[in-house]
Amino acid sequence: MQITGALGDPDLIRLPWETPLEDWPQHHLVDLPRGISRHVVRFARLSGKVYAIKEISERYAKREYQLLWDLARLDAPAVEPVAYVTGRENGLDAALITRHLQFSLPYRAVMSGTLRPDTLTRLLDALAVLLVRLHLNGFYWGDCSLSNTLFRRDAGAFAAYLVDAETGEMHPMISEGQRLTDIDNAHTNIFGEMLDLEAGGLLHPSIDPMDTADDIVARYHRLWNEINESEIIEEVDWHRVEQRIRRLNLLGFDVAEMMVRRKVGTGRLIVRPKVVDAGHHQRRLLRLTGLDVEENQARRLLNDLDGFRVAKGLRHEDEAIVAHRWLAEVFQPTVDAIPAELRGKLEPAQLFHEILDHRWFLSEQEGADVGLAAAVKSYVDNVLVHKPDERALLPDEEPAQ
C-alpha cells in the first residue's frame, strides 16, 4: 500500500485501508450530510480534522488528485486534495482523500425541507458563478451538476465549490465546444435532479424542473457575456467603462486590465475587460483584519467597518488602524457573546452577518437603533437556537486550549 500526497496527519496511514470503505468501523467515521455519488464516500475524523474519502480506480484517483491540485494553485473554488491511496490489499480500489469543507452542505441538505423558489434561485446563481470561474481558468468539468457541488452560506447568498473533478480536464484556455458541452451537461443533470426532488416531495409546487434547467443555462450565459463581451463606447463616455467594472465587482469578479482600441474611421472605442477570479472584497478584508471569509460576507463586514469609521470620526485615520479597532471593539466581542455551545451552528462571519440583519429588523420594529448587544441576545434566543449545526461537529473532541 502507498499513500501519495501532502500528508498533514500521519494517522491517515493507520486507517483500515485493507477493508472496503463501506465496511469501515464507525469509530473511524463521522456522520455528515453527503450528496449522491456513484462511488462509496465516507468521512473520517482524525486529530480534530475531517477528511472525505472516496473509493475510485487508481487511474482516476491519481487524475482527480492532480486536477484538484491544479485548481488549488489557481485559487479556484474546489475541495482541497490531501492524498490518494494505491496498492490496497485484496484488489481493492484506490482511494482519494480530500479535506472536508467546513460549513458546507450538499444541495439535498440545503433543501432538507420543501425547496422554496428563492432558495433555488440563490443556488443556481452560485452554480452559474462557479462554472464561469472554472471556465475562465480553462477547466472543462464534464459533469456539472448540483450533486457534484458543495454550497456554503455567503451572507444572503450561497458560494459553490466543485467537489468532484473525476471527469474534468485542464486546458490553457477552454474551447467554445467544451464550454457549450459543459452547459449542455449541466442542463441535463439539473433537469434530472429536479425531477428526483419532485418525486421525493421536496420541490415547491411552483418550481418546474425543465424551467429550472433552462434557467441555469440562461444565468450562465448572462454572466459569461457580461464578463467577456466587448463594448463600443464614445470617447467621452468613459464612465460607462467604470459602470461595467462596478457591475463585475458586484458579481464577484475583478478587472485585471482593459483592452482598448479605436474603431477605424470613428471617434468610438472598443473596450474589453480582462476579468480575473473573485476576491476583491475577500482580499481587502484579509489584508486589513486577517479574516478569511466568503466574498459576500467580506463585502458585508467591510460595510460595517466603513460605518464604524464614520461613527467614530476616523475618516482620516489609517485604514489598518481603523480595521484593528473594529476587529477588537465590534467583531470579536460580538462573536464572543455567542454561547460556546451554539458557535458550531454557523461560521463567525455568517453569524456576524445574520446578527447585523437581525439588528436592522429589530430597529425597524422599534423605530430606533436597538444596539448590537440587544440584537445579539435576541438573535441567540429567537433565531440561532433553532438553526441546525453546519460545521462538522466532532463528538468526543478535546476542547481547544
Side-chain angles (χ1 to χ4, degrees):
M1 188 199 75
Q2 178 174 312
I3 299 184
T4 305
L7 290 178
D9 194 332
D11 287 341
L12 283 170
I13 301 171
R14 302 186 183 96
L15 289 172
W17 297 111
E18 70 282 357
T19 305
L21 192 54
E22 62 183 350
D23 296 331
W24 277 19
Q26 283 300 312
H27 70 269
H28 285 297
L29 305 176
V30 60
D31 190 22
L32 292 173
R34 58 177 180 263
I36 298 172
S37 173
R38 65 177 70 91
H39 305 288
V40 178
V41 178
R42 295 290 185 268
F43 297 101
R45 180 193 65 201
L46 294 169
S47 306
K49 298 183 179 69
V50 177
Y51 300 92
I53 302 173
K54 175 171 71 173
E55 270 186 342
I56 192 172
S57 72
E58 180 174 337
R59 174 191 173 196
Y60 283 106
K62 292 179 179 178
R63 187 173 180 278
E64 187 168 2
Y65 175 81
Q66 185 58 55
L67 283 170
L68 289 174
W69 264 119
D70 290 340
L71 290 171
R73 280 192 287 270
L74 294 169
D75 200 26
V79 293
E80 178 187 342
V82 175
Y84 60 90
V85 183
T86 56
R88 296 170 67 194
E89 295 178 18
N90 306 316
L92 293 175
D93 270 343
L96 175 69
I97 307 170
T98 57
R99 195 178 301 280
H100 174 65
L101 186 64
Q102 283 277 52
F103 297 98
S104 67
L105 296 167
Y107 82 100
R108 282 181 164 270
V110 177
M111 306 168 186
S112 55
T114 301
L115 176 61
R116 295 178 300 174
D118 61 332
T119 303
L120 179 61
T121 296
R122 288 181 289 148
L123 288 175
L124 295 181
D125 277 337
L127 185 59
V129 170
L130 171 62
L131 193 52
V132 166
R133 289 179 184 169
L134 294 173
H135 286 172
L136 289 173
N137 282 317
F139 184 79
Y140 167 72
W141 196 343
D143 194 16
C144 174
S145 67
L146 291 167
S147 297
N148 288 337
T149 309
L150 286 174
F151 295 92
R152 295 177 74 181
R153 298 189 189 279
D154 180 12
F158 287 97
Y161 291 78
L162 177 146
V163 72
D164 191 326
E166 183 181 337
T167 56
E169 297 174 9
M170 184 63 76
H171 301 274
M173 180 179 294
I174 193 168
S175 72
E176 189 69 1
Q178 289 167 328
R179 195 172 69 80
L180 295 178
T181 298
D182 245 359
I183 294 302
D184 188 53
N185 289 338
H187 184 277
T188 301
N189 289 339
I190 291 169
F191 177 56
E193 288 166 332
M194 291 298 107
L195 288 175
D196 186 48
L197 289 173
E198 186 178 56
L202 296 175
L203 207 60
H204 193 278
S206 66
I207 297 174
D208 179 82
M210 182 55 77
D211 288 346
T212 302
D214 291 342
D215 194 19
I216 185 63
V217 173
R219 288 171 189 276
Y220 170 88
H221 284 306
R222 282 198 299 269
L223 180 56
W224 183 263
N225 291 338
E226 178 68 50
I227 289 171
N228 290 283
E229 281 189 344
S230 298
E231 185 171 6
I232 299 177
I233 65 168
E234 303 291 342
E235 288 195 47
V236 295
D237 287 341
W238 193 253
H239 68 280
R240 285 175 52 190
V241 176
E242 184 178 351
Q243 290 174 348
R244 185 170 182 188
I245 292 173
R246 288 178 180 272
R247 290 199 306 271
L248 289 167
N249 287 160
L250 288 173
L251 290 168
F253 293 86
D254 289 341
V255 175
E257 58 189 48
M258 306 286 291
M259 186 280 291
V260 181
R261 57 188 174 91
R262 189 182 301 278
K263 191 173 182 182
V264 178
T266 73
R268 295 176 178 174
L269 303 175
I270 300 173
V271 181
R272 181 170 183 174
K274 180 181 178 182
V275 177
V276 294
D277 206 352
H280 175 76
H281 300 93
Q282 284 175 310
R283 287 192 292 273
R284 182 183 168 215
L285 186 69
L286 183 62
R287 173 175 55 82
L288 290 173
T289 68
L291 296 173
D292 190 5
V293 303
E294 296 292 346
E295 179 70 2
N296 287 336
Q297 292 168 345
R299 184 183 294 113
R300 186 65 186 276
L301 268 59
L302 286 168
N303 286 342
D304 194 70
L305 190 159
D306 291 337
F308 174 81
R309 173 195 286 271
V310 173
K312 296 293 184 179
L314 301 172
R315 288 185 181 88
H316 304 296
E317 185 61 86
D318 182 85
E319 190 177 45
I321 294 174
V322 176
H324 179 74
R325 281 192 57 180
W326 172 84
L327 198 64
E329 297 176 24
V330 180
F331 180 82
Q332 203 57 56
T334 301
V335 174
D336 290 344
I338 303 295
E341 66 274 14
L342 298 179
R343 291 178 195 165
K345 289 182 175 288
L346 294 169
E347 60 182 327
Q350 184 68 23
L351 280 170
F352 189 80
H353 158 74
E354 294 197 6
I355 288 169
L356 292 180
D357 269 355
H358 193 68
R359 177 183 181 177
W360 184 86
F361 285 121
L362 291 178
S363 300
E364 284 287 296
Q365 292 173 356
E366 296 293 326
D369 185 12
V370 300
L372 200 53
V376 170
K377 185 178 186 308
S378 174
Y379 174 77
V380 169
D381 294 343
N382 301 300
V383 179
L384 188 59
V385 293
H386 303 297
K387 285 183 173 288
D389 288 353
E390 293 189 1
R391 188 185 68 179
L393 293 179
L394 308 179
D396 303 324
E397 184 179 343
E398 290 293 327
Q401 299 298 317

